[in-house]
């Protein structure tokens, strides 16, 4: 015998299906222990459509806008400007899913934090800082996007969390470090974003001196390079805060 449903039953069923699908979509990006997500938008922050962010979101969440200072990347790289948005999970649905404007080069990735914000024990000024009235401390962001070598994610993350992050924070001037993992590449046709990201905040009166010290420690083994770090796809950039 065929079951017969009236308009109310169909409406109830339809609402249930929509709510279930919406809940599943949110669960994909917002799981237990993910209080917020970070949007990395490489491109022009003034163009919300290009950044795949709705005007409603931009009216509530102001980005940190960074301008490229030094690029140590390998291979193809995204646009130089970077805007960082922190979104509560409940607002992830406000990310637009439509196509980017024609000619837009913006690259957008949705990342979740992995691990806590780690602070340096005793951050100091970098060696060989310039002297005189022109010398002044400035704040920079070091953003490193990277992949583990195939099948070596567990080893890569162990090295990063227990060894590399603490070692970098021993370099004079480095203050904090926060790791991230890619949840969704919102512009997959534009650029293949690496799976992992880290954001270091540092202060320096001579960024080149700080970078030289970073490279010296890597070259001499004071900071041990990770054997499972895929150098060929890494993106390493020092940014300054946009005025």
């Amino acid at each position: 015998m065929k079951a017969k449903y009236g308009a109310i039953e169909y409406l109830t069923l339809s609402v249930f299906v929509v709510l279930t699908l919406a809940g599943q979509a949110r669960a994909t990006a917002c799981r237990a222990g993910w209080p917020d997500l970070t949007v990395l938008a490489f491109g022009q922050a003034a163009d919300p459509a290009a950044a795949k962010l709705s005007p409603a979101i931009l009216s509530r969440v102001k980005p940190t806008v960074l301008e490229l200072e030094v690029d140590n990347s390998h291979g193809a790289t995204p646009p130089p400007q970077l805007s960082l948005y922190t979104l509560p999970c409940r607002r992830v649905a406000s990310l637009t899913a439509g196509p980017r404007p024609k000619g837009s080069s913006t690259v957008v990735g949705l990342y979740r934090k992995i691990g806590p914000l780690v602070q340096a024990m005793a951050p100091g000024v970098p060696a060989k800082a310039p002297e005189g009235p022109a010398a002044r401390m400035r704040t920079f962001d070091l953003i490193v996007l990277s992949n583990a070598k195939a099948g070596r994610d567990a080893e890569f993350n162990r090295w990063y969390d227990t060894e590399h992050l603490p070692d970098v924070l021993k370099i004079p001037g480095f203050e904090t470090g926060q790791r991230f993992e890619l949840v969704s590449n919102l512009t997959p046709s534009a650029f293949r974003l690496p799976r992992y990201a880290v954001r270091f905040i540092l202060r320096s009166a001579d960024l080149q001196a700080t970078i030289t010290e970073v490279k010296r420690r890597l070259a001499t083994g004071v900071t041990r390079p990770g054997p499972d770090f895929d150098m060929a796809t890494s993106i390493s950039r020092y940014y300054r805060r946009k005025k």
Side-chain angles (χ1 to χ4, degrees), residues 88-99:
C89 274
R90 66 182 182 276
R91 296 196 181 277
V92 168
S94 297
L95 292 170
T96 64

Side-chain angles (χ1 to χ4, degrees), residues 78-133:
Q81 189 182 77
L82 172 61
S83 301
L84 297 96
Y85 302 80
T86 300
L87 300 179
C89 274
R90 66 182 182 276
R91 296 196 181 277
V92 168
S94 297
L95 292 170
T96 64
R100 295 180 303 153
K102 187 176 181 180
S104 172
S105 60
T106 304
V107 177
V108 185
L110 183 64
Y111 285 80
R112 72 179 182 96
K113 293 178 182 178
I114 49 175
L117 176 70
V118 181
Q119 295 187 330
M121 295 296 290
V125 297
K128 300 180 181 178
E131 299 178 356

Side-chain angles (χ1 to χ4, degrees), residues 26 29-31 34-37 87-93:
R26 284 195 299 272
C30 301
R31 299 174 184 171
W34 297 12
D36 53 43
L37 294 171
L87 300 179
C89 274
R90 66 182 182 276
R91 296 196 181 277
V92 168

Side-chain angles (χ1 to χ4, degrees), residues 4-215:
K4 294 183 179 179
Y5 298 98
I8 294 178
E9 286 82 0
Y10 274 117
L11 178 60
T12 302
L13 180 61
S14 298
V15 170
F16 173 77
V17 170
V18 169
L19 290 177
T20 300
L21 292 175
Q24 289 174 347
R26 284 195 299 272
T28 300
C30 301
R31 299 174 184 171
W34 297 12
D36 53 43
L37 294 171
T38 298
V39 178
L40 302 185
F42 295 89
Q44 294 301 316
D47 186 351
K52 285 189 168 285
L53 293 169
S54 70
I57 278 293
L58 289 181
S59 68
R60 296 179 176 88
V61 182
K62 299 301 180 184
T64 299
V65 182
L66 307 174
E67 299 283 357
L68 181 64
E69 185 79 8
V70 177
D71 194 345
N72 292 326
S73 304
H74 302 84
T77 56
Q81 189 182 77
L82 172 61
S83 301
L84 297 96
Y85 302 80
T86 300
L87 300 179
C89 274
R90 66 182 182 276
R91 296 196 181 277
V92 168
S94 297
L95 292 170
T96 64
R100 295 180 303 153
K102 187 176 181 180
S104 172
S105 60
T106 304
V107 177
V108 185
L110 183 64
Y111 285 80
R112 72 179 182 96
K113 293 178 182 178
I114 49 175
L117 176 70
V118 181
Q119 295 187 330
M121 295 296 290
V125 297
K128 300 180 181 178
E131 299 178 356
R136 64 184 181 89
M137 298 296 289
R138 293 193 296 160
T139 299
F140 298 94
D141 291 66
L142 169 58
I143 305 292
V144 182
L145 306 181
S146 58
N147 291 306
K149 291 183 179 178
R152 304 291 294 177
D153 286 81
E155 293 81 0
F156 172 85
N157 285 314
R158 190 180 307 115
W159 163 77
Y160 226 116
D161 290 337
T162 64
E163 184 176 340
H164 190 59
L165 197 63
D167 279 350
V168 173
L169 290 176
K170 291 176 184 176
I171 300 172
F174 279 76
E175 297 183 344
T176 63
Q178 175 69 64
R179 294 194 65 212
F180 302 87
E181 183 178 14
L182 184 67
V183 173
S184 177
N185 186 349
L186 302 180
T187 51
S189 61
F191 188 84
R192 187 172 182 178
L193 284 166
R195 178 175 179 178
Y196 300 104
V198 63
R199 179 190 186 190
F200 292 104
I201 295 179
L202 61 134
R203 285 173 54 78
S204 176
D206 185 347
L207 181 60
Q208 287 299 331
T210 300
I211 294 173
T212 298
E213 177 62 11
V214 170
K215 292 180 177 179

Side-chain angles (χ1 to χ4, degrees), residues 208-233:
Q208 287 299 331
T210 300
I211 294 173
T212 298
E213 177 62 11
V214 170
K215 292 180 177 179
R216 183 193 72 79
R217 292 183 179 221
L218 283 167
T220 59
V222 176
T223 301
R224 186 177 73 92
D228 305 301
F229 186 101
D230 184 6
M231 185 64 71
T233 60

